[in-house]
Amino acid sequence: MEIKPLTGAFGAEVLEVDLKSGIDTEESRLIEAALAENVVLVFRNQDLDIDGFESFAASIGDFGETPFITPVDGHPNVLRVIREAEETGPLFGSGWHSDWSFQLRPPSTTLLYALQVPEVGGDTAFTNQYLAFESLSEPMQSILRGLKGIHSAERSYGPQGTFGRPDPDASMEIHGDESAVVHQTHPLVRSHPLTGRQSLFVNEVYTVGIEGMTKTESGSLLEFLFEHSRQIAFTCRVRWMPGTLTMWDNRATQHFAINDYAGSKREMYRVTLAGEQPALS
Ligand code: SIN
């Protein structure tokens, strides 16, 4: 297995590995370590069916919980992330976020495998939340270490949220409900269980406030952190081809599905792996 950096900031392509033929325990630990170090890993030219995709994911970790979206029939852990050429409604994943950060134990990792992609467009952008935190001044880091973010799925999946009402024209069956309005607090800065590095754990889709602060106070601070996190030097971008599998570490990155392929179809399989309760040590 060869690891080739994607950008100067982070992300890597993993070469000389055929995921279809299965990986052994040593290879899965190597991938896990490479992911912790590079945050985003891209495997090109893979030839996986849904079982192969699921079994590769299972060799890396246990499956996480997937709320609000109907999974693929017979595969409760796999989502079909799909948009038909003629669809115009809100695009799933199009906003900077860390997957399901509103859960008590948000997923450690997400795996996305491309079945069909536009000839051009439909890339996924990533930010590096280690770099976002480490580039702040020591006094700011110290303030943030003492704070907790409030996360909620309400804006996306609450009754008034982006996906709050079933859309009969959408290919993905997304069903928001009242359960989305609950709040979950997490440290604003978390330590990665494998690397020990600290990362900024906020995102504009699910972080709705800061514990103990007024709306005005938390609004200003969060807006600064969102803006700071997505500066270009902390980002990388993955261009998809059929057979590309990308996995990312939700503990140290945010991502954004780019909505620039009107008139083309895009279809992927997606799995999340279980994570731990975020903590700062
Ligand atoms: C997601 O947010 O998990 C989907 C990302 C994508 O479709 O590129």
Side-chain angles (χ1 to χ4, degrees):
M1 225 182 282
E2 196 194 323
I3 310 280
K4 191 172 148 213
L6 259 186
T7 69
F10 74 114
E13 290 202 338
V14 185
L15 310 173
E16 289 162 31
V17 58
D18 174 17
L19 301 178
K20 189 182 184 177
S21 59
I23 55 165
D24 59 28
T25 314
E26 196 192 326
E27 286 169 318
S28 83
R29 295 292 74 91
L30 276 176
I31 291 172
E32 204 183 7
L35 181 64
E37 189 178 327
N38 295 283
V39 184
V40 173
L41 292 181
V42 183
F43 302 76
R44 299 284 185 196
N45 304 316
Q46 301 298 322
D47 177 22
L48 297 172
D49 58 14
I50 192 162
D51 294 314
F53 174 62
E54 215 172 4
S55 88
F56 169 61
S59 70
I60 303 295
D62 297 332
F63 294 117
E65 257 177 61
T66 298
F68 304 123
I69 303 165
T70 305
V72 177
D73 252 2
H75 296 270
N77 301 301
V78 183
L79 293 185
R80 192 186 297 276
V81 175
I82 179 168
R83 187 170 179 88
E84 295 291 349
E86 65 280 3
E87 277 187 67
T88 55
L91 176 69
F92 177 73
S94 192
W96 284 110
H97 66 287
S98 173
D99 284 328
W100 311 145
S101 72
F102 52 83
Q103 293 182 330
L104 175 66
R105 294 184 189 80
S108 60
T109 308
T110 302
L111 295 93
L112 198 60
Y113 177 68
L115 299 170
Q116 185 174 339
V117 294
E119 212 161 284
V120 65
D123 297 357
T124 308
F126 296 88
T127 64
N128 184 321
Q129 295 296 100
Y130 289 136
L131 296 180
F133 181 65
E134 289 162 359
S135 62
L136 293 166
S137 66
E138 180 45 50
M140 180 56 108
Q141 289 185 353
S142 166
I143 292 168
L144 298 179
R145 283 193 193 98
L147 298 175
K148 285 194 170 145
I150 302 168
H151 296 247
S152 168
E154 181 168 7
R155 289 179 192 151
S156 299
Y157 304 108
Q160 314 303 324
T162 313
F163 299 104
R165 287 168 208 279
D167 174 357
D169 297 327
S171 308
M172 289 179 70
E173 219 176 285
I174 305 183
H175 39 85
D177 61 46
E178 275 297 334
S179 70
V181 304
V182 298
H183 286 174
Q184 182 63 58
T185 59
H186 293 305
L188 226 57
V189 181
R190 65 185 293 185
S191 306
H192 195 287
L194 294 180
T195 63
R197 281 174 81 182
Q198 297 181 348
S199 61
L200 195 52
F201 194 59
V202 291
N203 67 86
E204 68 183 12
V205 172
Y206 299 130
T207 314
V208 297
I210 296 177
E211 198 174 60
M213 285 192 175
T214 65
K215 225 177 157 128
T216 316
E217 289 167 345
S218 65
S220 303
L221 182 51
L222 286 174
E223 201 41 58
F224 162 72
L225 295 174
F226 298 154
E227 202 46 51
H228 171 76
S229 297
R230 57 189 176 228
Q231 58 188 279
I232 198 89
F234 305 153
T235 64
C236 76
R237 183 165 167 156
V238 172
R239 184 165 188 182
W240 297 91
M241 287 174 282
T244 299
L245 185 151
T246 299
M247 59 197 286
W248 60 87
D249 187 332
N250 287 296
R251 301 171 285 203
T253 188
Q254 296 183 50
H255 59 283
F256 189 116
I258 299 173
N259 191 356
D260 64 350
Y261 56 98
S264 298
K265 179 176 173 178
R266 182 178 186 267
E267 183 177 9
M268 333 282 256
Y269 287 142
R270 177 186 186 271
V271 151
T272 52
L273 300 181
E276 64 290 317
Q277 194 167 349
L280 178 63
S281 54

